[in-house]
């Protein structure tokens, strides 16, 4: 579901004679507008994090330690199957630390 | 796949049941709220079929219900009901008439059921039940844990109408070897390498429970798409992770499901009170299951200023399905307690409203608190649980108020 297809309206088609019976429902959800802030490594974050989820999901996290952020990025690769090159993980974590890190 | 990704359907009418209580055009509303946690500022955003809700993430959508909503009707309105998805591959168009639920695996008669089949071939059942995210209130954990950073509004109470899962399974006829029932919806990962969102319940839990529904109505209307249109599983008394949205697949399996979402995620410590210290390791865990008993004051927010004199405090309480036996209220931070009056009983899985008469003295400060007792014997304590998933928070809530 690309951000491009998120729009600000929805419409529902149903069979009025059947009342609450099942019909076609279409939504166009609001755009995902939050972007990573500029900084060293921002391109790594954009390339590796935003395929699966919004940047807002990251900016609403509490301030995490370097070890915690490393654990989160590693989980995205190991548990959620994100194609993150292991060699780039420190760079991604460096960027996250400049955004919301606790150190 | 019973959905397509066509865009806006020209010429469609909003005069439908699904749209009857929702505006035809949703819009991003100005304004933000700041929840009581670090990085707690959130925009209020109206998604389709929804009023402005507290947006934690747009993709996948995580939308929290503003807590003031819970001071209204005991049934949370569909357009105010919180939204939580795990994966960003959510269909934006769902054809409810074409939708089929496949029942297969260790069954004698595999089935493919439409919503119309559910409505016409099985006995309808309505149950009022709380749907609460496993991570509700995660943002209030101390120390903080990563994950969806909710305040207390990732919950809602609705009247769910549908058919009993056990009736559907009986029609399919379970084979002797069946051990678990596994559920899958239309939610899809963005990447093929991401584990699909699949959940399972043991057959013993399914048969013991008896009140698990495949629901096609929420508060008398079709489910909003973001709450799982056209059908979702309803597991009264259990956390919402099992309430599979856009349900398409029910499989009886002869093993214990070991997919990521059962074996690794959504686990709670198998320790007294399901609580551990942040430094603890190596303790056993089990899949999260029943709701812990909770209660809230809904008419007064923490930090509020009350008017002097006689007034009524209002609140809600709920538990994992035994029902609320009593609610106590304290005006002195928990040093002493007096009973509240319980409101109408909508069943053991529902919010139970309560009221408490308070005489507030001008110039005084009060620390209000509420504590629910469930029929199970479970109650709330002043010490919050802690676990690394941020699950099961049910501490006694306190509200510092002044009178002026």
């Amino acid at each position: 579901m690309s951000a491009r297809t998120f729009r600000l309206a929805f419409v529902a088609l149903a069979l009025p004679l059947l009342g609450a019976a099942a019909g076609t429902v279409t939504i166009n959800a609001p755009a995902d507008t939050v972007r990573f802030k500029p900084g060293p490594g921002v391109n790594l974050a954009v390339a590796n994090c935003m395929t699966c989820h919004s940047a807002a999901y990251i900016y609403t996290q509490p301030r995490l330690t370097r070890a915690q952020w490393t654990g989160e990025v590693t989980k995205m690769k190991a548990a959620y199957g994100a194609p993150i090159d292991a060699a780039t993980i420190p760079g991604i974590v460096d960027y996250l630390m400049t955004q919301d890190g606790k150190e | 796949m019973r959905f397509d990704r066509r865009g806006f359907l020209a010429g469609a009418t909003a005069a439908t049941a699904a749209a009857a209580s929702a505006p035809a055009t949703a819009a991003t509303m100005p304004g933000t709220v700041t929840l009581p946690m670090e990085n707690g500022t959130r925009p209020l955003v109206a998604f389709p079929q929804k009023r402005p809700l507290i947006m934690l993430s747009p993709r996948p959508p995580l939308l929290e219900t503003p807590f003031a909503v819970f001071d209204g009707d005991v049934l949370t309105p569909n357009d105010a009901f919180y939204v939580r998805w795990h994966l960003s591959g959510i269909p934006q168009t769902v054809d409810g008439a074409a939708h089929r639920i496949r029942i297969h695996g260790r069954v004698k008669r595999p089935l493919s059921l439409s919503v119309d089949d559910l409505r016409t071939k099985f006995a309808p059942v309505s149950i009022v039940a709380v749907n609460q995210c496993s991570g509700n209130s995660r943002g209030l954990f101390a120390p903080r844990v990563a994950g969806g950073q909710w305040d207390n509004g990732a919950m809602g109470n609705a009247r769910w109408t549908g058919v009993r899962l056990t009736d559907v399974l009986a029609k399919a006829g379970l084979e002797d070897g069946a051990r678990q029932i596994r559920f899958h919806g239309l939610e899809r990962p963005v990447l093929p390498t991401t584990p699909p969102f699949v959940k399972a319940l043991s057959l013993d839990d399914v048969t013991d429970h008896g009140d698990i529904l495949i629901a096609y109505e929420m508060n008398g209307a079709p489910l909003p798409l973001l709450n799982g249109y056209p059908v979702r599983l309803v597991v009264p008394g259990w956390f919402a992770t099992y309430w599979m949205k856009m349900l398409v697949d029910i499989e009886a399996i002869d093993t214990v499901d070991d997919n990521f979402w059962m074996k690794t995620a959504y686990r709670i410590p198998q320790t007294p009170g399901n609580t551990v210290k942040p430094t603890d390791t190596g303790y056993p865990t089990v899949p999260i299951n029943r709701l812990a008993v909770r209660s809230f004051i809904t008419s007064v927010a923490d930090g509020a200023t009350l008017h002097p004199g006689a007034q009524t405090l209002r609140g809600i309480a709920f538990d994992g399905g035994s029902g609320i036996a009593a609610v106590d209220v304290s005006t002195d931070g928990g040093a002493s307690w007096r009973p509240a009056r319980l409101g109408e009983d909508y069943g053991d899985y529902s919010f139970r409203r309560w009221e408490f008469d308070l005489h507030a003295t001008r110039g005084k400060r009060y620390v209000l608190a509420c504590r629910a007792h469930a029929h199970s014997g479970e109650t709330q304590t002043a010490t919050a649980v802690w676990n690394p998933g941020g699950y099961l928070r049910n501490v006694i809530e306190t509200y510092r108020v002044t009178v002026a």
Side-chain angles (χ1 to χ4, degrees), chain A residues 1 8 10-12 20 23-27 29 32 50 52-54 60-61 63 79-81 100, chain B residues 12-13 23-24 26 38-39 48 57-59 88 92-94 96 119 147 149 193-195 229:
Chain A
M1 185 160 53
L8 302 181
F10 96 100
V11 67
T24 297
V25 176
T26 297
I27 68 164
D32 177 7
M50 290 190 71
C52 294
H53 62 77
S54 64
T60 54
Q61 295 304 309
R63 292 170 63 230
Y80 293 98
D100 248 339
Chain B
T13 172
E38 186 179 73
N39 292 339
S57 163
R59 188 174 54 88
S88 295
Q92 296 204 71
T93 293
V94 176
R119 287 178 174 279
Q149 301 299 321
T193 43
T194 301
Y229 180 84

mmCIF file of all heavy atoms in Angstrom, chain A residues 1 8 10-12 20 23-27 29 32 50 52-54 60-61 63 79-81 100, chain B residues 12-13 23-24 26 38-39 48 57-59 88 92-94 96 119 147 149 193-195 229:
data_model
loop_
_atom_site.group_PDB
_atom_site.id
_atom_site.type_symbol
_atom_site.label_atom_id
_atom_site.label_comp_id
_atom_site.label_asym_id
_atom_site.label_seq_id
_atom_site.Cartn_x
_atom_site.Cartn_y
_atom_site.Cartn_z
ATOM 1 N N MET A 1 0.855 -1.180 0.000
ATOM 2 C CA MET A 1 0.000 0.000 0.000
ATOM 3 C C MET A 1 0.887 1.224 0.000
ATOM 4 O O MET A 1 1.478 1.574 1.009
ATOM 5 C CB MET A 1 -0.871 -0.040 1.251
ATOM 6 C CG MET A 1 -1.873 1.052 1.329
ATOM 7 S SD MET A 1 -3.199 0.635 2.467
ATOM 8 C CE MET A 1 -2.322 0.219 3.953
ATOM 9 N N LEU A 8 -7.845 11.269 0.619
ATOM 10 C CA LEU A 8 -8.654 11.763 1.726
ATOM 11 C C LEU A 8 -10.152 11.498 1.581
ATOM 12 O O LEU A 8 -10.948 12.283 2.033
ATOM 13 C CB LEU A 8 -8.426 13.260 1.889
ATOM 14 C CG LEU A 8 -6.976 13.653 2.140
ATOM 15 C CD1 LEU A 8 -6.861 15.156 2.300
ATOM 16 C CD2 LEU A 8 -6.461 12.950 3.378
ATOM 17 N N PHE A 10 -13.417 8.341 1.186
ATOM 18 C CA PHE A 10 -13.784 6.944 1.106
ATOM 19 C C PHE A 10 -15.217 6.884 0.614
ATOM 20 O O PHE A 10 -15.980 7.831 0.690
ATOM 21 C CB PHE A 10 -13.668 6.229 2.452
ATOM 22 C CG PHE A 10 -14.949 6.154 3.201
ATOM 23 C CD1 PHE A 10 -15.693 4.988 3.169
ATOM 24 C CD2 PHE A 10 -15.420 7.252 3.893
ATOM 25 C CE1 PHE A 10 -16.902 4.927 3.834
ATOM 26 C CE2 PHE A 10 -16.629 7.181 4.548
ATOM 27 C CZ PHE A 10 -17.372 6.015 4.528
ATOM 28 N N VAL A 11 -15.555 5.723 0.104
ATOM 29 C CA VAL A 11 -16.911 5.538 -0.373
ATOM 30 C C VAL A 11 -17.256 4.075 -0.189
ATOM 31 O O VAL A 11 -16.381 3.211 -0.187
ATOM 32 C CB VAL A 11 -17.013 5.975 -1.848
ATOM 33 C CG1 VAL A 11 -16.217 5.050 -2.749
ATOM 34 C CG2 VAL A 11 -18.455 6.035 -2.299
ATOM 35 N N ALA A 12 -18.493 3.788 0.038
ATOM 36 C CA ALA A 12 -18.891 2.407 0.244
ATOM 37 C C ALA A 12 -20.033 2.068 -0.702
ATOM 38 O O ALA A 12 -20.944 2.855 -0.911
ATOM 39 C CB ALA A 12 -19.348 2.197 1.685
ATOM 40 N N ALA A 20 -27.772 -4.207 6.249
ATOM 41 C CA ALA A 20 -26.388 -4.312 6.701
ATOM 42 C C ALA A 20 -25.621 -5.406 5.976
ATOM 43 O O ALA A 20 -24.560 -5.791 6.391
ATOM 44 C CB ALA A 20 -26.363 -4.557 8.205
ATOM 45 N N GLY A 23 -21.270 -5.480 1.219
ATOM 46 C CA GLY A 23 -21.062 -4.868 -0.075
ATOM 47 C C GLY A 23 -19.591 -4.524 -0.215
ATOM 48 O O GLY A 23 -18.769 -4.955 0.580
ATOM 49 N N THR A 24 -19.285 -3.760 -1.247
ATOM 50 C CA THR A 24 -17.892 -3.372 -1.452
ATOM 51 C C THR A 24 -17.593 -2.103 -0.671
ATOM 52 O O THR A 24 -18.325 -1.127 -0.782
ATOM 53 C CB THR A 24 -17.614 -3.146 -2.946
ATOM 54 O OG1 THR A 24 -17.800 -4.379 -3.623
ATOM 55 C CG2 THR A 24 -16.196 -2.655 -3.167
ATOM 56 N N VAL A 25 -16.559 -2.131 0.100
ATOM 57 C CA VAL A 25 -16.114 -0.949 0.839
ATOM 58 C C VAL A 25 -14.718 -0.586 0.363
ATOM 59 O O VAL A 25 -13.836 -1.446 0.285
ATOM 60 C CB VAL A 25 -16.108 -1.203 2.358
ATOM 61 C CG1 VAL A 25 -15.540 0.002 3.094
ATOM 62 C CG2 VAL A 25 -17.514 -1.510 2.859
ATOM 63 N N THR A 26 -14.564 0.671 0.015
ATOM 64 C CA THR A 26 -13.270 1.179 -0.428
ATOM 65 C C THR A 26 -12.878 2.350 0.448
ATOM 66 O O THR A 26 -13.703 3.214 0.722
ATOM 67 C CB THR A 26 -13.346 1.648 -1.897
ATOM 68 O OG1 THR A 26 -13.650 0.534 -2.715
ATOM 69 C CG2 THR A 26 -12.025 2.254 -2.338
ATOM 70 N N ILE A 27 -11.665 2.343 0.899
ATOM 71 C CA ILE A 27 -11.174 3.508 1.636
ATOM 72 C C ILE A 27 -9.928 4.045 0.943
ATOM 73 O O ILE A 27 -9.237 3.319 0.230
ATOM 74 C CB ILE A 27 -10.840 3.190 3.100
ATOM 75 C CG1 ILE A 27 -9.629 2.263 3.214
ATOM 76 C CG2 ILE A 27 -12.048 2.604 3.823
ATOM 77 C CD1 ILE A 27 -9.014 2.219 4.595
ATOM 78 N N ALA A 29 -6.958 6.054 2.577
ATOM 79 C CA ALA A 29 -6.514 6.567 3.864
ATOM 80 C C ALA A 29 -5.628 7.795 3.688
ATOM 81 O O ALA A 29 -5.038 7.993 2.627
ATOM 82 C CB ALA A 29 -5.766 5.474 4.617
ATOM 83 N N ASP A 32 0.747 9.326 4.225
ATOM 84 C CA ASP A 32 1.820 9.195 5.211
ATOM 85 C C ASP A 32 2.809 10.318 4.944
ATOM 86 O O ASP A 32 3.637 10.237 4.040
ATOM 87 C CB ASP A 32 2.474 7.817 5.051
ATOM 88 C CG ASP A 32 3.642 7.617 5.997
ATOM 89 O OD1 ASP A 32 3.862 8.486 6.867
ATOM 90 O OD2 ASP A 32 4.322 6.587 5.870
ATOM 91 N N MET A 50 11.481 2.568 5.784
ATOM 92 C CA MET A 50 10.164 3.026 5.341
ATOM 93 C C MET A 50 9.485 2.107 4.340
ATOM 94 O O MET A 50 8.367 2.381 3.915
ATOM 95 C CB MET A 50 10.265 4.447 4.786
ATOM 96 C CG MET A 50 10.550 5.453 5.901
ATOM 97 S SD MET A 50 10.414 7.175 5.381
ATOM 98 C CE MET A 50 8.645 7.336 5.178
ATOM 99 N N CYS A 52 8.399 -0.815 5.077
ATOM 100 C CA CYS A 52 7.344 -1.542 5.795
ATOM 101 C C CYS A 52 6.507 -0.670 6.719
ATOM 102 O O CYS A 52 5.382 -1.044 7.050
ATOM 103 C CB CYS A 52 7.959 -2.675 6.612
ATOM 104 S SG CYS A 52 8.704 -3.950 5.578
ATOM 105 N N HIS A 53 7.062 0.427 7.199
ATOM 106 C CA HIS A 53 6.286 1.238 8.149
ATOM 107 C C HIS A 53 6.670 2.700 8.067
ATOM 108 O O HIS A 53 7.702 3.076 7.508
ATOM 109 C CB HIS A 53 6.442 0.715 9.583
ATOM 110 C CG HIS A 53 7.848 0.768 10.100
ATOM 111 N ND1 HIS A 53 8.436 1.925 10.526
ATOM 112 C CD2 HIS A 53 8.776 -0.202 10.270
ATOM 113 C CE1 HIS A 53 9.665 1.686 10.939
ATOM 114 N NE2 HIS A 53 9.914 0.390 10.779
ATOM 115 N N SER A 54 5.816 3.514 8.671
ATOM 116 C CA SER A 54 5.982 4.963 8.640
ATOM 117 C C SER A 54 7.169 5.400 9.489
ATOM 118 O O SER A 54 7.588 4.702 10.426
ATOM 119 C CB SER A 54 4.708 5.623 9.184
ATOM 120 O OG SER A 54 4.515 5.274 10.545
ATOM 121 N N THR A 60 7.564 8.183 17.404
ATOM 122 C CA THR A 60 6.740 8.066 18.609
ATOM 123 C C THR A 60 7.345 7.116 19.636
ATOM 124 O O THR A 60 6.783 6.952 20.721
ATOM 125 C CB THR A 60 5.311 7.592 18.263
ATOM 126 O OG1 THR A 60 5.391 6.380 17.506
ATOM 127 C CG2 THR A 60 4.556 8.640 17.479
ATOM 128 N N GLN A 61 8.471 6.498 19.299
ATOM 129 C CA GLN A 61 9.116 5.637 20.297
ATOM 130 C C GLN A 61 9.743 6.489 21.396
ATOM 131 O O GLN A 61 10.106 7.647 21.174
ATOM 132 C CB GLN A 61 10.208 4.783 19.635
ATOM 133 C CG GLN A 61 9.681 3.788 18.607
ATOM 134 C CD GLN A 61 8.636 2.853 19.186
ATOM 135 O OE1 GLN A 61 8.847 2.243 20.226
ATOM 136 N NE2 GLN A 61 7.490 2.766 18.514
ATOM 137 N N ARG A 63 12.861 7.585 23.859
ATOM 138 C CA ARG A 63 14.292 7.680 23.581
ATOM 139 C C ARG A 63 14.935 6.379 24.017
ATOM 140 O O ARG A 63 14.844 5.987 25.170
ATOM 141 C CB ARG A 63 14.891 8.872 24.316
ATOM 142 C CG ARG A 63 14.406 10.206 23.765
ATOM 143 C CD ARG A 63 14.809 11.357 24.658
ATOM 144 N NE ARG A 63 16.247 11.506 24.738
ATOM 145 C CZ ARG A 63 16.924 11.623 25.876
ATOM 146 N NH1 ARG A 63 16.295 11.593 27.025
ATOM 147 N NH2 ARG A 63 18.230 11.757 25.859
ATOM 148 N N ALA A 79 13.701 -10.987 12.527
ATOM 149 C CA ALA A 79 12.345 -11.491 12.784
ATOM 150 C C ALA A 79 11.368 -11.112 11.674
ATOM 151 O O ALA A 79 10.518 -11.914 11.295
ATOM 152 C CB ALA A 79 11.839 -10.967 14.130
ATOM 153 N N TYR A 80 11.503 -9.890 11.154
ATOM 154 C CA TYR A 80 10.533 -9.411 10.169
ATOM 155 C C TYR A 80 11.036 -9.521 8.732
ATOM 156 O O TYR A 80 10.335 -9.141 7.799
ATOM 157 C CB TYR A 80 10.129 -7.970 10.477
ATOM 158 C CG TYR A 80 9.348 -7.832 11.764
ATOM 159 C CD1 TYR A 80 9.955 -7.444 12.951
ATOM 160 C CD2 TYR A 80 7.981 -8.121 11.798
ATOM 161 C CE1 TYR A 80 9.241 -7.329 14.133
ATOM 162 C CE2 TYR A 80 7.256 -8.007 12.979
ATOM 163 C CZ TYR A 80 7.895 -7.615 14.137
ATOM 164 O OH TYR A 80 7.183 -7.504 15.300
ATOM 165 N N GLY A 81 12.252 -10.023 8.562
ATOM 166 C CA GLY A 81 12.726 -10.322 7.219
ATOM 167 C C GLY A 81 13.070 -9.116 6.368
ATOM 168 O O GLY A 81 13.096 -9.219 5.137
ATOM 169 N N ASP A 100 16.601 10.349 18.166
ATOM 170 C CA ASP A 100 15.841 10.092 19.387
ATOM 171 C C ASP A 100 16.647 9.318 20.405
ATOM 172 O O ASP A 100 16.090 8.671 21.267
ATOM 173 C CB ASP A 100 14.598 9.263 19.032
ATOM 174 C CG ASP A 100 13.355 10.084 19.234
ATOM 175 O OD1 ASP A 100 13.426 11.060 19.985
ATOM 176 O OD2 ASP A 100 12.326 9.734 18.652
ATOM 177 N N ALA B 12 -20.392 5.888 -6.660
ATOM 178 C CA ALA B 12 -20.828 5.120 -5.505
ATOM 179 C C ALA B 12 -21.647 6.006 -4.580
ATOM 180 O O ALA B 12 -21.491 7.221 -4.547
ATOM 181 C CB ALA B 12 -19.620 4.569 -4.772
ATOM 182 N N THR B 13 -22.494 5.376 -3.819
ATOM 183 C CA THR B 13 -23.323 6.130 -2.895
ATOM 184 C C THR B 13 -22.852 5.930 -1.473
ATOM 185 O O THR B 13 -22.398 4.865 -1.109
ATOM 186 C CB THR B 13 -24.796 5.711 -3.013
ATOM 187 O OG1 THR B 13 -25.500 6.358 -1.964
ATOM 188 C CG2 THR B 13 -24.956 4.211 -2.867
ATOM 189 N N PRO B 23 -18.924 10.129 7.989
ATOM 190 C CA PRO B 23 -18.930 11.145 6.943
ATOM 191 C C PRO B 23 -18.429 10.548 5.635
ATOM 192 O O PRO B 23 -17.599 9.649 5.632
ATOM 193 C CB PRO B 23 -17.964 12.199 7.470
ATOM 194 C CG PRO B 23 -17.062 11.467 8.415
ATOM 195 C CD PRO B 23 -17.904 10.372 9.002
ATOM 196 N N ALA B 24 -18.951 11.036 4.529
ATOM 197 C CA ALA B 24 -18.534 10.495 3.237
ATOM 198 C C ALA B 24 -17.118 10.926 2.903
ATOM 199 O O ALA B 24 -16.433 10.270 2.158
ATOM 200 C CB ALA B 24 -19.488 10.962 2.151
ATOM 201 N N ALA B 26 -13.513 12.002 4.648
ATOM 202 C CA ALA B 26 -12.711 12.177 5.856
ATOM 203 C C ALA B 26 -11.618 13.179 5.563
ATOM 204 O O ALA B 26 -11.238 13.393 4.422
ATOM 205 C CB ALA B 26 -12.102 10.849 6.273
ATOM 206 N N GLU B 38 7.100 10.520 27.255
ATOM 207 C CA GLU B 38 8.129 11.107 26.398
ATOM 208 C C GLU B 38 7.763 10.849 24.933
ATOM 209 O O GLU B 38 7.306 9.753 24.606
ATOM 210 C CB GLU B 38 9.454 10.431 26.741
ATOM 211 C CG GLU B 38 10.665 10.990 26.054
ATOM 212 C CD GLU B 38 11.906 10.226 26.519
ATOM 213 O OE1 GLU B 38 12.072 9.049 26.109
ATOM 214 O OE2 GLU B 38 12.675 10.786 27.307
ATOM 215 N N ASN B 39 8.004 11.813 24.060
ATOM 216 C CA ASN B 39 7.614 11.701 22.646
ATOM 217 C C ASN B 39 6.125 11.380 22.509
ATOM 218 O O ASN B 39 5.715 10.557 21.698
ATOM 219 C CB ASN B 39 8.458 10.652 21.912
ATOM 220 C CG ASN B 39 9.904 11.084 21.768
ATOM 221 O OD1 ASN B 39 10.213 12.262 21.853
ATOM 222 N ND2 ASN B 39 10.797 10.134 21.560
ATOM 223 N N PRO B 48 -10.725 7.218 6.938
ATOM 224 C CA PRO B 48 -12.047 6.895 6.405
ATOM 225 C C PRO B 48 -12.884 6.093 7.416
ATOM 226 O O PRO B 48 -12.372 5.181 8.062
ATOM 227 C CB PRO B 48 -11.726 6.046 5.170
ATOM 228 C CG PRO B 48 -10.384 6.555 4.735
ATOM 229 C CD PRO B 48 -9.649 6.850 6.012
ATOM 230 N N SER B 57 0.710 5.972 14.104
ATOM 231 C CA SER B 57 1.366 5.686 12.831
ATOM 232 C C SER B 57 0.298 5.631 11.747
ATOM 233 O O SER B 57 -0.762 5.053 11.954
ATOM 234 C CB SER B 57 2.087 4.336 12.886
ATOM 235 O OG SER B 57 2.384 3.881 11.567
ATOM 236 N N PRO B 58 0.599 6.221 10.566
ATOM 237 C CA PRO B 58 -0.348 6.092 9.456
ATOM 238 C C PRO B 58 -0.164 4.805 8.664
ATOM 239 O O PRO B 58 -1.057 4.390 7.942
ATOM 240 C CB PRO B 58 -0.018 7.303 8.584
ATOM 241 C CG PRO B 58 1.433 7.554 8.823
ATOM 242 C CD PRO B 58 1.715 7.134 10.256
ATOM 243 N N ARG B 59 1.027 4.163 8.771
ATOM 244 C CA ARG B 59 1.315 3.022 7.896
ATOM 245 C C ARG B 59 2.221 2.060 8.638
ATOM 246 O O ARG B 59 3.397 2.357 8.793
ATOM 247 C CB ARG B 59 1.992 3.556 6.616
ATOM 248 C CG ARG B 59 2.191 2.548 5.516
ATOM 249 C CD ARG B 59 2.724 3.253 4.281
ATOM 250 N NE ARG B 59 3.922 4.007 4.585
ATOM 251 C CZ ARG B 59 5.160 3.482 4.537
ATOM 252 N NH1 ARG B 59 5.355 2.244 4.169
ATOM 253 N NH2 ARG B 59 6.204 4.221 4.853
ATOM 254 N N SER B 88 1.678 -3.467 6.643
ATOM 255 C CA SER B 88 1.147 -2.358 5.840
ATOM 256 C C SER B 88 0.373 -2.808 4.609
ATOM 257 O O SER B 88 -0.186 -1.971 3.904
ATOM 258 C CB SER B 88 2.296 -1.426 5.436
ATOM 259 O OG SER B 88 2.854 -0.827 6.585
ATOM 260 N N GLN B 92 -7.430 -1.885 0.497
ATOM 261 C CA GLN B 92 -8.229 -0.665 0.654
ATOM 262 C C GLN B 92 -9.604 -0.826 0.022
ATOM 263 O O GLN B 92 -10.446 0.058 0.157
ATOM 264 C CB GLN B 92 -7.496 0.538 0.066
ATOM 265 C CG GLN B 92 -6.207 0.815 0.827
ATOM 266 C CD GLN B 92 -5.765 2.247 0.681
ATOM 267 O OE1 GLN B 92 -6.379 3.159 1.221
ATOM 268 N NE2 GLN B 92 -4.707 2.444 -0.059
ATOM 269 N N THR B 93 -9.788 -1.933 -0.668
ATOM 270 C CA THR B 93 -11.106 -2.273 -1.173
ATOM 271 C C THR B 93 -11.402 -3.714 -0.774
ATOM 272 O O THR B 93 -10.573 -4.595 -1.005
ATOM 273 C CB THR B 93 -11.174 -2.161 -2.703
ATOM 274 O OG1 THR B 93 -11.027 -0.802 -3.065
ATOM 275 C CG2 THR B 93 -12.507 -2.685 -3.237
ATOM 276 N N VAL B 94 -12.554 -3.912 -0.148
ATOM 277 C CA VAL B 94 -12.967 -5.265 0.208
ATOM 278 C C VAL B 94 -14.385 -5.470 -0.296
ATOM 279 O O VAL B 94 -15.285 -4.686 0.019
ATOM 280 C CB VAL B 94 -12.905 -5.497 1.733
ATOM 281 C CG1 VAL B 94 -13.429 -6.881 2.078
ATOM 282 C CG2 VAL B 94 -11.480 -5.329 2.243
ATOM 283 N N GLY B 96 -17.387 -7.366 0.225
ATOM 284 C CA GLY B 96 -17.979 -8.225 1.252
ATOM 285 C C GLY B 96 -18.832 -9.339 0.681
ATOM 286 O O GLY B 96 -18.954 -10.410 1.284
ATOM 287 N N ARG B 119 -24.909 -15.508 7.787
ATOM 288 C CA ARG B 119 -26.167 -14.890 8.220
ATOM 289 C C ARG B 119 -27.350 -15.853 8.118
ATOM 290 O O ARG B 119 -28.291 -15.744 8.907
ATOM 291 C CB ARG B 119 -26.478 -13.665 7.352
ATOM 292 C CG ARG B 119 -25.589 -12.473 7.638
ATOM 293 C CD ARG B 119 -25.947 -11.321 6.696
ATOM 294 N NE ARG B 119 -25.229 -10.113 7.019
ATOM 295 C CZ ARG B 119 -25.583 -9.267 7.979
ATOM 296 N NH1 ARG B 119 -26.676 -9.481 8.697
ATOM 297 N NH2 ARG B 119 -24.860 -8.191 8.218
ATOM 298 N N GLY B 147 7.834 -0.413 20.929
ATOM 299 C CA GLY B 147 6.558 -0.962 20.452
ATOM 300 C C GLY B 147 5.585 0.162 20.198
ATOM 301 O O GLY B 147 5.965 1.333 20.220
ATOM 302 N N GLN B 149 3.289 2.932 20.997
ATOM 303 C CA GLN B 149 3.295 3.723 22.241
ATOM 304 C C GLN B 149 1.903 4.286 22.521
ATOM 305 O O GLN B 149 1.615 5.453 22.288
ATOM 306 C CB GLN B 149 4.354 4.817 22.144
ATOM 307 C CG GLN B 149 5.753 4.268 21.907
ATOM 308 C CD GLN B 149 6.235 3.343 23.030
ATOM 309 O OE1 GLN B 149 5.982 3.607 24.211
ATOM 310 N NE2 GLN B 149 6.900 2.248 22.672
ATOM 311 N N THR B 193 9.334 -11.843 2.766
ATOM 312 C CA THR B 193 10.149 -12.448 3.820
ATOM 313 C C THR B 193 9.599 -12.189 5.226
ATOM 314 O O THR B 193 10.093 -12.731 6.200
ATOM 315 C CB THR B 193 11.579 -11.886 3.738
ATOM 316 O OG1 THR B 193 11.511 -10.470 3.520
ATOM 317 C CG2 THR B 193 12.347 -12.538 2.592
ATOM 318 N N THR B 194 8.583 -11.317 5.332
ATOM 319 C CA THR B 194 8.000 -11.015 6.647
ATOM 320 C C THR B 194 6.977 -12.086 7.010
ATOM 321 O O THR B 194 6.151 -12.461 6.165
ATOM 322 C CB THR B 194 7.321 -9.631 6.622
ATOM 323 O OG1 THR B 194 8.290 -8.647 6.268
ATOM 324 C CG2 THR B 194 6.717 -9.290 7.974
ATOM 325 N N PRO B 195 7.010 -12.603 8.242
ATOM 326 C CA PRO B 195 6.038 -13.634 8.617
ATOM 327 C C PRO B 195 4.608 -13.118 8.483
ATOM 328 O O PRO B 195 4.288 -12.046 8.996
ATOM 329 C CB PRO B 195 6.364 -13.927 10.087
ATOM 330 C CG PRO B 195 7.722 -13.375 10.326
ATOM 331 C CD PRO B 195 7.920 -12.258 9.347
ATOM 332 N N TYR B 229 -13.664 -5.217 8.371
ATOM 333 C CA TYR B 229 -14.726 -5.541 7.429
ATOM 334 C C TYR B 229 -14.262 -6.605 6.427
ATOM 335 O O TYR B 229 -13.123 -6.519 5.952
ATOM 336 C CB TYR B 229 -15.133 -4.269 6.670
ATOM 337 C CG TYR B 229 -16.224 -4.465 5.648
ATOM 338 C CD1 TYR B 229 -17.556 -4.452 6.032
ATOM 339 C CD2 TYR B 229 -15.907 -4.697 4.314
ATOM 340 C CE1 TYR B 229 -18.556 -4.657 5.094
ATOM 341 C CE2 TYR B 229 -16.909 -4.900 3.376
ATOM 342 C CZ TYR B 229 -18.224 -4.873 3.779
ATOM 343 O OH TYR B 229 -19.214 -5.085 2.863
#
